[in-house]
Amino acid sequence: MVAFGQKLRENQIQEWQGYYINYKLLKKMVKRHAHEIEVGRQDHYHILRDFSRLLDEQIEKIVLFPLEQQGLLARRLSTMGKWHDVLLQQTERLSISELREGYREVGRDLLRLLYFVEMNAVGLRKILKKIDKRFGYKFTDYYVKTHANHPYSQLRQVFKHVGIGAVVGAISRNLADLKEHHGDFVSIYDQPAFADQDPVIDSIKAAVNRLSNSTDLLHYLGKHTLIMREELPDPSEDDDVEQRYHFMSLLLNLANTFLYMVNTYIVVPMADDYSLSLGAAATVCGVVIGSMAVAQVFSSVYFSAWSNRSYLRPLLFSSFVLLVGNNLYALAYDLNSLSVLLIGRLFCGLGSARAVNRHYISDCVPLKLRMQASAGFVTASALGMACGPALVCLFQTHFKVYMITFSEDTLPGWVMAMAWLIYLLWLCLSFREPPPHEPKNKTVFHEPNAAVLVNDAVEYGSTQHLLLNSRVRSQDDCEDAVQECDDDEEYSQETRKPVTSIFSAYRLLTPSVKVSQFFLLIYFMLKYVMEILLAESSVVTTHYFIWSTNSVAIFLVCLGLTVLPVNIVVGNYISNIFEERQVLLTSEIIVCIGILLSFHIFIPYSVPQYVCSALVTFVSAEVLESVNLSLLSRVVSSRLSRGTYNGGLLSTEAGTLARVIADGTITLSGYLGENRLLNVTLVPSLFICISSIAATCVTYNSLY
């Protein structure tokens, strides 16, 4: 793994060297001021002033230079435009081809400029993080508060770059105009979704999206998975992934996710009735539903570790355990045993292979397809959540075959057991175990060809191959790189290894700003609130409204079906208009409002009040989950992007623990009576939600 400062020097464009962020100088200033604080020579006020002035100078340099380059690109486009109309009237294909290649060349130069901005943006983020870590002071909070919100903020231009769209639009329009479509005129304005675009345009769009964090629906959905990547990925690493990729194996992982979510929520509408039929209280449904989550707390860890050695074997084990668990769940009715029912649900939780599914996407899917696969993971989860309760509507029957009962209580177990058996056979026939990773040789520094790398980026439709280096490293540079790697704690051998325990992983979430565990608090809150809403729905609606199992199932299906439409609206529109921190805080407030509306204060408690408050709470919690995981993936340590104890596992454990506590709360609250269940379970939800809103307000400027 190469230190960022070394990577910055290697990938600089020769003629632009003087305009990059002076990362080495900023690092020396951090060390010098840290030493001065230790010996008592400087106070925080002088450090804030000095660093602010130095960062202002660096940011002004890296902002003004791209504006100058955009002007040069615009001048070239204007000159080429004068010949455009003339050449279109001619029949010489050679001239038109040369003009088309000219526009592509401008596009490649724009790609170089975008990579320049991205390198500097990453350097700025790293320096701010380093300052906070070394000084134990919220310098990022101070700097963002005083600079980012200013109407003439140059800091904002680094991350929300303007002017690029005009250049991209000119290139796109002229390339589409020159493209042959059987003599028809094709305009990007008449057909904005025109799919047959020039590869250089796709590359530019990918670069702009990475730089500005402006996402479409696909990327927005993909953020749910918390599958993280290095800020500046090495293109050579994706070659090995290409060899490991197998579409049918990916499809099997997505099918596993879908079936597991169906298995999780298919029991919710009738869990209270099943408990009553076995002689327990209706509120024991919390234990029935939550026992699966209890087992998942442990299964996530061993499946995450197991997937480091194999993918097929843990998926086979998962399918077999789920097959056994669902059979036990169904047989509990004829055995009249609540213990067998709970053991069956525990087995189902022990078969949770979502950690394997996540790991497969991050490890075996090429970078250019990873976001699509991540979006597929989220979509499969959402569909499974909706399909589970929907299937219950088909189970309204009761009959026996050889002393085995098939009813609305037992059919979920029998149907899921059959589904897992079919999946197990499909898995054995179609899954291909990826080949093991080949050991990497020690890095050899050499001069890459900039033109070849830009062409590679255009071919693959992304900017990950734009590692542009147009100068030969001198002996002094090599010595500086070695010194930097020795001095920088970020790139020591110890900090580059994957973490080896859940406690080590948690320690990586405790920088001075403590933003990471704040995001986990929000994730815990939203999962707790959603589990309270879903798990107690059958008891609450039966007590207040005398709903049937079918009515509860339809209600849960309607909630589940809101996931994708909400993500379409947020992913395509809201996330491109507002900052993620604004959406985060707004969503938390709306969740709080939904909880307040759910309380049973007025008599009688009406169906419109319950349904509307549930919709408000559930939808806002879904939006909050997307934005929260997106922000979390950008602040956690890069060490949590790989290994057993990764960021995805931590978020899964936080969410699963929230579900366990929520289900336990429902069961314990049931001892106070069903008439008090709703309000008693809503009180902790309200308290946690208010706490997360307060934490968001305190750390708001650190979320920039």
Side-chain angles (χ1 to χ4, degrees), residues 9 12 27 61 84 152 176 271 283 326-327 383 419 430 433 442 450 519 542 544 604 651 704:
R9 287 193 301 274
Q12 285 181 359
K27 279 186 57 182
K61 176 178 64 174
H84 190 119
Y152 305 117
T283 52
N326 281 287
N327 277 299
L383 290 177
S430 302
E433 185 74 82
K442 188 175 181 180
F519 287 130
T542 301
Y544 286 106
S651 65
Y704 184 74

Side-chain angles (χ1 to χ4, degrees), residues 69-89:
Q69 292 300 309
Q70 288 178 50
L72 297 176
L73 294 177
R75 188 181 306 169
R76 288 168 59 185
L77 288 171
S78 178
T79 302
M80 294 168 65
K82 295 177 181 179
W83 298 100
H84 190 119
D85 294 334
V86 177
L87 290 177
L88 286 180
Q89 305 301 323

Side-chain angles (χ1 to χ4, degrees), residues 498-554:
V499 292
T500 56
S501 71
I502 196 75
F503 302 104
S504 300
Y506 180 77
R507 282 196 294 270
L508 289 177
L509 298 178
T510 54
S512 58
V513 183
K514 297 185 182 294
V515 176
S516 299
Q517 65 261 54
F518 153 71
F519 287 130
L520 289 181
L521 168 65
I522 294 180
Y523 194 69
F524 178 92
M525 179 272 291
L526 66 92
K527 285 298 182 183
Y528 181 91
V529 170
M530 292 173 70
E531 187 68 12
I532 287 289
L533 171 63
L534 298 175
E536 71 177 9
S537 58
S538 59
V539 179
V540 170
T541 54
T542 301
H543 176 74
Y544 286 106
F545 317 127
I546 319 178
W547 278 8
S548 65
T549 301
N550 264 0
S551 300
V552 178
I554 293 172

Side-chain angles (χ1 to χ4, degrees), residues 258-315:
F258 171 77
L259 287 177
Y260 185 78
M261 293 303 291
V262 172
N263 212 149
T264 301
Y265 289 98
I266 196 172
V267 305
V268 173
M270 81 287 294
D272 56 337
D273 289 339
Y274 205 171
S275 300
L276 288 170
S277 67
L278 298 178
T283 52
V284 175
C285 69
V287 176
V288 174
I289 297 171
S291 56
M292 192 169 177
V294 171
Q296 188 180 345
V297 172
F298 303 98
S299 66
S300 296
V301 177
Y302 69 72
F303 272 121
S304 182
W306 199 354
S307 63
N308 290 325
R309 301 186 298 274
S310 172
Y311 291 103
L312 177 58
R313 281 174 286 177
L315 288 176

Side-chain angles (χ1 to χ4, degrees), residues 156-411:
R156 187 182 298 273
Q157 302 306 312
V158 177
F159 300 102
K160 303 290 182 182
H161 211 65
V162 296
I164 296 292
V167 179
V168 178
I171 298 173
S172 302
R173 185 187 66 81
N174 286 286
L175 283 175
D177 193 8
L178 292 170
K179 199 171 185 67
E180 293 182 3
H181 288 281
H182 305 291
D184 296 332
F185 173 71
V186 179
S187 171
I188 62 170
Y189 304 107
D190 296 332
Q191 301 183 34
F194 179 58
D196 190 17
Q197 292 181 341
D198 196 283
V200 72
I201 302 301
D202 294 331
S203 301
I204 293 172
K205 287 183 177 180
V208 172
N209 284 337
R210 276 196 355 184
L211 176 62
S212 65
N213 292 315
S214 176
T215 59
D216 55 15
L217 173 64
L218 185 67
H219 289 75
Y220 184 78
L221 289 175
K223 290 175 181 177
H224 280 71
T225 58
L226 200 64
I227 295 173
M228 295 170 289
R229 60 169 178 82
E230 295 292 330
E231 290 175 297
L232 293 172
D234 187 349
S236 63
E237 295 177 1
D238 208 40
D239 297 335
D240 179 52
V241 179
E242 287 277 2
Q243 300 174 1
R244 298 165 60 81
Y245 175 62
H246 182 231
F247 173 75
M248 186 57 69
S249 300
L250 172 62
L251 189 61
L252 281 161
N253 275 277
L254 298 181
N256 183 280
T257 296
F258 171 77
L259 287 177
Y260 185 78
M261 293 303 291
V262 172
N263 212 149
T264 301
Y265 289 98
I266 196 172
V267 305
V268 173
M270 81 287 294
D272 56 337
D273 289 339
Y274 205 171
S275 300
L276 288 170
S277 67
L278 298 178
T283 52
V284 175
C285 69
V287 176
V288 174
I289 297 171
S291 56
M292 192 169 177
V294 171
Q296 188 180 345
V297 172
F298 303 98
S299 66
S300 296
V301 177
Y302 69 72
F303 272 121
S304 182
W306 199 354
S307 63
N308 290 325
R309 301 186 298 274
S310 172
Y311 291 103
L312 177 58
R313 281 174 286 177
L315 288 176
L316 289 172
F317 177 77
S318 165
S319 304
F320 177 76
V321 170
L322 282 158
L323 175 62
V324 173
N326 281 287
N327 277 299
L328 291 174
Y329 177 87
L331 288 171
Y333 185 89
D334 293 305
L335 297 174
N336 194 28
S337 172
L338 181 63
S339 299
V340 174
L341 175 67
L342 295 178
I343 292 173
R345 289 293 288 176
L346 284 171
F347 264 74
C348 290
L350 291 174
S352 172
R354 287 169 65 82
V356 180
N357 307 143
R358 270 197 180 102
H359 197 178
Y360 185 88
I361 293 174
S362 64
D363 190 45
C364 301
V365 177
L367 192 61
K368 59 185 178 183
L369 300 176
R370 197 167 299 165
M371 194 56 73
Q372 290 93 321
S374 302
F377 178 87
V378 174
T379 304
S381 300
L383 290 177
M385 181 180 178
C387 289
L391 290 174
V392 177
C393 299
L394 306 176
F395 298 157
Q396 304 306 306
T397 185
H398 190 101
F399 61 93
K400 284 192 173 185
V401 177
Y402 297 108
M403 305 300 293
I404 297 178
T405 303
F406 294 87
S407 66
E408 65 177 10
D409 293 332
T410 62
L411 275 173

Side-chain angles (χ1 to χ4, degrees), residues 560-671:
L561 290 177
T562 61
V563 175
L564 289 181
V566 168
N567 280 322
I568 290 174
V569 174
V570 177
N572 280 337
Y573 302 104
I574 295 179
S575 64
N576 290 326
I577 298 174
F578 303 100
E579 295 178 12
E580 288 180 323
R581 57 177 181 168
Q582 295 173 328
V583 181
L584 183 81
L585 181 58
T586 303
S587 301
E588 288 179 291
I589 294 173
I590 297 176
V591 169
C592 187
I593 293 173
I595 295 173
L596 290 172
L597 292 175
S598 300
F599 276 94
H600 179 201
I601 300 176
F602 303 103
I603 300 177
Y605 193 57
S606 64
V607 173
Q609 178 185 351
Y610 178 76
V611 172
C612 291
S613 61
L615 279 172
V616 170
T617 304
F618 187 82
V619 170
S620 54
E622 277 294 328
V623 174
L624 181 60
E625 180 178 8
S626 299
V627 179
N628 182 66
L629 290 181
S630 171
L631 289 168
L632 177 60
S633 67
R634 292 181 0 215
V635 300
V636 297
S637 168
S638 60
R639 291 179 65 193
L640 295 179
S641 64
R642 55 194 180 275
T644 300
Y645 302 96
N646 51 64
L649 175 64
L650 289 181
S651 65
T652 299
E653 293 291 271
T656 304
L657 183 61
R659 291 170 53 203
V660 171
I661 295 176
D663 293 325
T665 303
I666 294 172
T667 300
L668 293 176
S669 301
Y671 288 105

